[in-house]
């Protein structure tokens, strides 16, 4: 297949690119390097089945030749990133989704949207099944990301129903692994970098809020299975094993052997208190199950970060 991946220089986009290349496909990667990094795709410089185009899909986009799939992974995804680039985040989730949907429609290609557990907001149903409509502030400090992704889901379902486009939607829960930016601001990268540098781990609020962390190779496997399935409705992919941020801090300290302290900082406004995917559908429809426990995934991620931070 000849696939277009937006956000190909990002954390997930670059891993997805590697996976599709390893599976024998051809990839045209697009990125504007807002939060993506050239280092993430540098190893593909001599790969004949990979072509990179520096482009911002918030503007209309054209690709020469046949296209079998368009996978829209471009967007800032870390809260500090999307809050630092709020208008770009609104645009890539709205105009960027419409432009890439048009690209898929023109080529008769399959469309795949990277959506997010943030569509559930600060959830009142726990764990979160796909049928839950969410508890999202349309005006709060996370709204530029949450509402852009909710709009994106609506756009994809509209193109599916109205234009008969062959579409998929994945709702991605917290994911970690090599190629996260050290300064990305998410909890896993922050804690690891802080521990390796001997700086205090910054726990926001009392640290009792929870997240469920999925190792990147598991997530990519779920995404690829969904891409090759015939399921059009949104599908959760994430690891349902849930941890508090205090537990995560303790694990990172134990793994790195760091003497760093834990320091509490104010809890950001509208920070979801709990999050855990209900993955019944992924299990039954895709036969997918995460395989990498947090201890293993964190150890691999720490090793990778050792190579990039002093
Ligand atoms: N968090 C934290 N310390 C940090 C960064 C984040 O305690 O240095 C908390 C944050 O308040 C949230 C959780 O960790 O409750 C996950 O935050 P992240 O930004 O990784 O992703 P989110 O799930 O909020 O999008």
């Amino acid at each position: 297949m000849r696939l277009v991946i937006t956000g190909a220089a990002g954390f997930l986009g670059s891993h997805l690119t590697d996976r599709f290349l390893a599976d024998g496909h051809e990839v045209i990667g697009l990125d504007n390097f807002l939060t993506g990094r050239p280092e993430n795709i540098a190893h593909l410089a001599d790969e004949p089945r990979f072509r990179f185009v520096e482009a911002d899909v918030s503007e209309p986009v054209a690709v020469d030749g046949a296209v079998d799939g368009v996978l829209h992974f471009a967007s800032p995804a870390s809260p500090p990133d999307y809050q630092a680039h709020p208008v770009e985040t609104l645009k890539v989730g709205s105009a960027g989704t419409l432009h890439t949907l048009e690209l898929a429609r023109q080529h008769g290609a399959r469309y795949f949207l990277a959506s997010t557990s943030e569509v559930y907001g600060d959830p009142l149903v726990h764990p979160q099944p796909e049928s839950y409509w969410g508890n999202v502030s349309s005006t709060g400090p996370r709204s530029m990301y949450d509402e852009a992704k909710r709009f994106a889901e609506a756009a994809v379902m509209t193109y599916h129903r109205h234009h008969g486009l062959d579409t998929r939607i994945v709702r991605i829960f917290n994911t970690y692994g090599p190629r996260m930016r050290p300064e990305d601001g998410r909890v896993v990268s922050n804690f690891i970098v802080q521990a390796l540098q001997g700086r205090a781990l910054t726990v926001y609020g009392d640290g009792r809020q929870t997240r469920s962390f999925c190792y990147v190779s598991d997530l990519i496997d779920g995404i690829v299975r969904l891409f090759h399935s015939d399921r059009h409705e949104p599908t959760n992919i994430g690891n349902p094993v849930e941890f508090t941020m205090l537990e995560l801090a303790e694990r990172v300290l134990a793994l790195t052997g760091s003497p760093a302290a834990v320091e509490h900082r104010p809890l950001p406004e509208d920070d979801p208190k709990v999050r855990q995917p209900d993955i019944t559908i992924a299990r039954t429809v895709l036969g997918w199950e995460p395989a990498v426990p947090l201890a293993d995934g964190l150890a691999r991620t720490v090793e990778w970060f050792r190579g990039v931070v002093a």
Side-chain angles (χ1 to χ4, degrees):
M1 288 177 120
R2 196 158 181 263
L3 306 171
V4 172
I5 300 182
T6 77
F11 168 46
L12 296 182
S14 67
H15 283 287
L16 190 61
T17 296
D18 284 347
R19 170 64 191 266
F20 278 123
L21 290 171
D23 289 350
H25 303 294
E26 202 179 317
V27 175
I28 300 158
L30 311 183
D31 208 297
N32 68 349
F33 296 123
L34 181 66
T35 57
R37 300 196 306 165
E39 299 94 293
N40 288 343
I41 49 169
H43 60 289
L44 301 175
D46 298 324
E47 168 55 63
R49 283 181 290 109
F50 179 68
R51 185 155 71 88
F52 180 73
V53 181
E54 188 167 340
D56 180 355
V57 292
S58 298
E59 303 299 326
V61 58
V63 171
D64 292 337
V67 176
D68 303 301
V70 175
L71 298 98
H72 187 28
F73 277 71
S75 179
S78 161
D81 278 343
Y82 59 68
Q83 288 162 351
H85 304 289
V87 177
E88 291 90 338
T89 301
L90 284 169
K91 279 186 176 171
V92 76
S94 55
T97 302
L98 293 175
H99 293 145
T100 49
L101 280 165
E102 271 305 312
L103 181 70
R105 192 166 78 96
Q106 282 156 16
H107 287 270
R110 178 172 303 168
Y111 188 86
F112 190 105
L113 174 69
S115 185
T116 168
S117 56
E118 287 281 329
V119 300
Y120 302 122
D122 190 3
L124 305 176
V125 171
H126 191 69
Q128 294 80 55
E130 289 85 347
S131 54
Y132 178 46
W133 286 3
N135 178 38
V136 177
S137 165
S138 60
T139 52
R142 299 170 85 98
S143 58
M144 73 291 285
Y145 183 68
D146 299 9
E147 293 293 8
K149 289 290 189 181
R150 288 171 69 95
F151 173 88
E153 289 197 0
V156 170
M157 291 311 293
T158 298
Y159 268 68
H160 174 64
R161 295 194 187 105
H162 189 70
H163 291 304
L165 196 70
D166 183 22
T167 59
R168 311 283 182 275
I169 299 174
V170 64
R171 289 184 178 153
I172 298 170
F173 284 66
N174 295 65
T175 304
Y176 68 99
R179 299 188 191 159
M180 297 183 89
R181 277 174 25 254
E183 69 285 8
D184 149 307
R186 280 184 274 202
V187 68
V188 174
S189 40
N190 273 7
F191 284 0
I192 292 177
V193 171
Q194 289 161 347
L196 291 178
Q197 295 180 336
R199 293 188 284 125
L201 273 58
T202 52
V203 170
Y204 300 163
D206 64 10
R208 278 170 218 220
Q209 71 273 31
T210 68
R211 295 292 186 275
S212 311
F213 299 101
C214 189
Y215 189 65
V216 62
S217 59
D218 280 338
L219 185 93
I220 296 298
D221 185 49
I223 284 173
V224 170
R225 282 175 192 242
L226 179 61
F227 180 77
H228 291 302
S229 78
D230 56 8
R231 183 177 158 82
H232 303 296
E233 295 77 25
T235 305
N236 290 340
I237 297 286
N239 190 321
V241 184
E242 193 177 359
F243 295 90
T244 68
M245 295 311 101
L246 278 177
E247 285 166 343
L248 180 70
E250 279 160 22
R251 279 170 174 256
V252 170
L253 288 176
L255 255 174
T256 52
S258 170
V262 166
E263 203 172 85
H264 289 266
R265 296 272 175 88
L267 186 69
E269 196 184 332
D270 288 355
D271 198 275
K273 287 177 268 310
V274 291
R275 181 178 295 152
Q276 186 200 129
D278 180 329
I279 59 164
T280 309
I281 288 176
R283 275 194 182 113
T284 52
V285 177
L286 308 178
W288 176 82
E289 181 96 41
V292 183
L294 187 68
D296 296 356
L298 268 187
R300 291 184 216 175
T301 309
V302 165
E303 275 325 294
W304 184 81
F305 270 108
R306 276 191 208 279
V308 291
V309 296

